[in-house]
Amino acid sequence: MRARRQRRLRHVTATGAVLSVVATLVTIQVAPAPATAVAGLTLSVDVSAARHRISPDIYGLNGAEAGFAAEIGLPVARWGGNASSRYNFKNHTYNTGSDWFFENIVAGPENTVEAFVERNRALGAKQIVTVPMIGWVAKDSPSSHPFHCGFPATRFPEQDQFDQWDPNCGNGRLHDTNLTGADPADTSVAAGASFDGEMVSHLVGRFGTAAQGGVRIYELDNEPVLWAATHRDVHPEVVSYDELGSKSTATAAAIKKADPSAAVLGPSGWGYCEWISSGVDGCALGADAAAHGGLNLSQWYLKNMKDYSDAHGGRRLLHYFDQHYYPQIGGGTDADANALRLRSTRSLWDPTYVEESWIGPSGVNAPPLHFIRTMKSWIAEQYPGTRTAISEYNFGALDHINGALTQADVLGIFGREGLDLATMWGEPQPAQPAAYAFRMYRNYDGAGGRFGDVSVSATSSDQGQLAVYAAQRSSDKALTLMLVNKTSDDLTSALSIKGFPGGTARRFTYSPADLTSIVRGTDVAAKRGTIKATYPANSITLLVLPRR
């Protein structure tokens, strides 16, 4: 499920310096809000029900500006993307694949895997490092043009396009058809599971084991079923169940041998088709699935990892079941696109929501996704105890209030549904509205104030209009309530609270009235277990109710 962009190796740019919070991030403002009640709209919270821990790792990013990463206390950062499939730690070189003319690029000193780990260790963020599993990594290469590339003009003189800065490097297509016959030796050297073990050992030698504060999580490559497209110069063959399974178990075993305390994450498929099918089968269960018990690719992957573990001493080889999630909604911000973006978050959890993209009835006619719950059901069936992760996702419109509303809704869903880890791809810039969605959960007051870490029951009679998420903070037992008004009208509703003493809630709002700051509004009283408040149109509101 994705609206893909050109994607190179991503790495968080955070330096780890703790920067002072700019005062304008939180504005103190008292302004009366119009009281426009919507008939039948009710909200309820039960502090004693549906309690479970919210993992801080759901607030992760694949990259972030240094000050913003420090400001939100970035919990986890990922080194990944298409280029990581052929990253060679020995020469700090990667291949861009189909993202950019299949060129070998030598990473600068600030862009090596070691630099990534150092920056994020200083910040206090755990690191996810992707290890190559495709079978090839970039060979020793020049650091400036002309580059080594997968489809050189010397071998393929006719191609649809060549790099304007390196005219020997082509896009590997002629008349809109992929060329065949590339020689992997033009760019790469063979690298199997032993190479990955060496890579982990190298990082352990530099930073210690995961238990000693080194790299905590290793990812088993990136979107492997797309290798035949993104890295077709070295891997033109479609990926089968058996190839993915054998490479995953061998690589995971090599990782655990080099660092028994590290966690392993995979298979990191690109979207719906890779969740259920191998490259052999395409986007439906076919002959490859039939040869593997009729299980879809995700189910079989989990089963295969468990079976291998059970047959080799019982040591767990997969700690996070990870997939990528890109809603097929486009990047527009017109009224229809905005409404669809807000509805699309239901695919993460709602068993009644029918996909409105090619995944639904107009295309492959997949059943409702309710994806986080589906991931958990696959795990329960095939490899109990495995955690859930979405290491790439992006709902778009980060520079628009609609993107902020959607992101706030997504983070609330991640917490309520018990997702264990998420790292957003294509992170918001610090001044963009979507960045304020993260601040609402991670630093709403400019002084490190955070949404609670224990999820509790919260329901809305119409989650599509006014969504509500609730959590209690372990540190001070305060109750935090996040409300997302997805409509263009101010909404007034009574919010009933069960199992928590009354008091006065502090109010923080992000809305189109001021897209440059979180506004500290007037306090709201909780009387006889009820808060009655108005939520501005297209806004995110956080109510913080101290424990008396």
Side-chain angles (χ1 to χ4, degrees):
M1 291 177 63
R2 64 185 190 173
R4 303 308 270 160
R5 296 190 295 272
Q6 184 186 108
R7 303 187 322 146
R8 297 197 181 195
L9 195 65
R10 295 300 307 274
H11 29 264
V12 173
T13 57
T15 63
V18 179
L19 306 180
S20 60
V21 178
V22 180
T24 55
L25 290 180
V26 178
T27 302
I28 297 177
Q29 176 176 314
V30 178
T36 306
V38 176
L41 184 59
T42 60
L43 307 167
S44 61
V45 169
D46 186 343
V47 177
S48 63
R51 293 178 66 89
H52 66 263
R53 174 180 175 271
I54 295 176
S55 168
D57 294 340
I58 63 173
Y59 305 111
L61 298 166
N62 272 266
E65 186 272 336
F68 180 61
E71 182 189 339
I72 65 171
L74 185 68
V76 60
R78 172 178 176 261
W79 165 277
N82 290 339
S84 63
S85 291
R86 286 155 73 181
Y87 181 81
N88 188 339
F89 77 96
K90 297 179 180 180
N91 58 21
H92 306 301
T93 303
Y94 61 94
N95 187 278
T96 59
S98 61
D99 286 344
W100 192 260
F101 299 100
F102 302 89
E103 295 175 353
N104 277 11
I105 305 295
V106 179
E110 297 301 310
N111 296 323
T112 65
V113 67
E114 295 89 350
F116 162 81
V117 176
E118 286 176 349
R119 283 192 297 267
N120 286 285
R121 273 166 54 93
L123 184 67
K126 68 178 64 171
Q127 309 95 48
I128 304 170
V129 169
T130 302
V131 298
M133 199 171 67
I134 192 172
W136 301 91
V137 294
K139 69 181 185 180
D140 292 344
S141 301
S143 58
S144 59
H145 296 293
F147 293 143
H148 295 321
C149 48
F151 292 94
T154 52
R155 190 186 303 276
F156 302 94
E158 294 186 53
Q159 299 184 54
D160 289 343
Q161 188 178 5
F162 291 92
D163 182 355
Q164 61 178 316
W165 294 287
D166 202 327
N168 187 52
C169 296
N171 69 347
R173 291 176 64 81
L174 181 62
H175 307 311
D176 286 330
T177 301
N178 288 342
L179 294 172
T180 60
D183 185 353
D186 284 343
T187 61
S188 305
V189 293
S194 61
F195 176 90
D196 297 315
E198 291 180 53
M199 182 175 178
V200 175
S201 293
H202 165 71
L203 293 173
V204 167
R206 179 78 174 267
F207 303 107
T209 64
Q212 295 167 335
V215 176
R216 298 278 296 277
I217 304 170
Y218 292 94
E219 182 171 357
L220 300 177
D221 213 292
N222 179 76
E223 301 178 350
V225 170
L226 289 186
W227 287 341
T230 54
H231 296 284
R232 62 181 184 273
D233 57 322
V234 297
H235 195 295
E237 307 84 7
V238 293
V239 172
S240 66
Y241 277 60
D242 287 341
E243 181 184 7
L244 178 62
S246 62
K247 286 186 171 179
S248 294
T249 52
T251 303
I255 291 169
K256 295 297 286 183
K257 182 178 180 181
D259 185 355
S261 62
V264 177
L265 178 149
S268 309
W270 68 264
Y272 175 75
C273 294
E274 190 168 349
W275 300 344
I276 65 164
S277 303
S278 68
V280 174
D281 283 347
C283 198
L285 300 186
D288 204 9
H292 294 83
L295 298 175
N296 70 37
L297 185 60
S298 290
Q299 293 169 317
W300 182 83
Y301 180 87
L302 288 161
K303 180 180 185 298
N304 183 65
M305 295 298 280
K306 183 179 187 302
D307 289 348
Y308 187 93
S309 174
D310 290 346
H312 293 79
R315 180 175 61 181
R316 176 174 281 275
L317 293 180
L318 184 72
H319 303 80
Y320 291 89
F321 174 56
D322 173 57
Q323 298 289 10
H324 295 170
Y325 190 96
Y326 288 95
Q328 302 299 280
I329 55 178
T333 54
D334 58 89
D336 288 343
N338 286 344
L340 176 58
R341 181 173 295 106
L342 290 168
R343 290 196 303 274
S344 70
T345 65
R346 293 171 59 190
S347 276
L348 291 168
W349 65 274
D350 188 348
T352 70
Y353 179 67
V354 178
E355 269 292 314
E356 300 175 65
S357 70
W358 60 268
I359 296 172
S362 65
V364 298
N365 200 27
L369 299 177
H370 48 106
F371 188 57
I372 296 173
R373 298 182 184 186
T374 298
M375 293 175 78
K376 288 176 176 286
S377 70
W378 289 338
I379 288 169
E381 293 167 0
Q382 306 298 340
Y383 202 171
T386 308
R387 284 165 272 182
T388 52
I390 298 176
S391 66
E392 287 189 23
Y393 73 95
N394 192 316
F395 282 74
L398 306 186
D399 59 350
H400 192 278
I401 185 62
N402 182 262
L405 301 178
T406 304
Q407 185 61 35
D409 198 36
V410 166
L411 294 175
I413 291 167
F414 286 171
R416 185 192 67 197
E417 296 297 313
L419 188 71
D420 293 295
L421 184 150
T423 49
M424 183 185 191
W425 180 277
E427 74 286 346
Q429 295 304 301
Q432 288 183 323
Y436 285 90
F438 280 91
R439 289 187 179 103
M440 288 292 285
Y441 284 90
R442 299 288 293 175
N443 193 3
Y444 59 82
D445 58 359
R450 293 181 178 175
F451 187 67
D453 57 331
V454 177
S455 181
V456 302
S457 173
T459 59
S460 169
S461 60
D462 191 339
Q463 192 82 351
Q465 289 194 74
L466 184 60
V468 60
Y469 305 96
Q472 192 169 16
R473 278 200 300 246
S474 297
S475 59
D476 61 0
K477 306 304 180 184
L479 179 62
T480 59
L481 309 169
M482 194 73 70
L483 298 108
V484 183
N485 183 349
K486 305 178 183 181
T487 76
S488 57
D489 298 313
D490 295 349
L491 297 179
T492 297
S493 176
L495 189 159
S496 66
I497 302 173
K498 183 180 178 181
F500 197 86
T504 301
R506 291 179 293 153
R507 178 176 180 143
F508 300 85
T509 300
Y510 184 70
S511 75
D514 185 354
L515 293 178
T516 66
S517 65
I518 295 169
V519 174
R520 172 71 165 93
T522 53
D523 291 347
V524 183
K527 299 179 179 179
R528 293 184 293 278
T530 300
I531 291 176
K532 188 171 183 180
T534 296
Y535 306 97
N538 297 306
S539 69
I540 310 165
T541 297
L542 176 66
L543 301 177
V544 181
L545 190 60
R547 180 84 179 187
R548 293 196 301 175

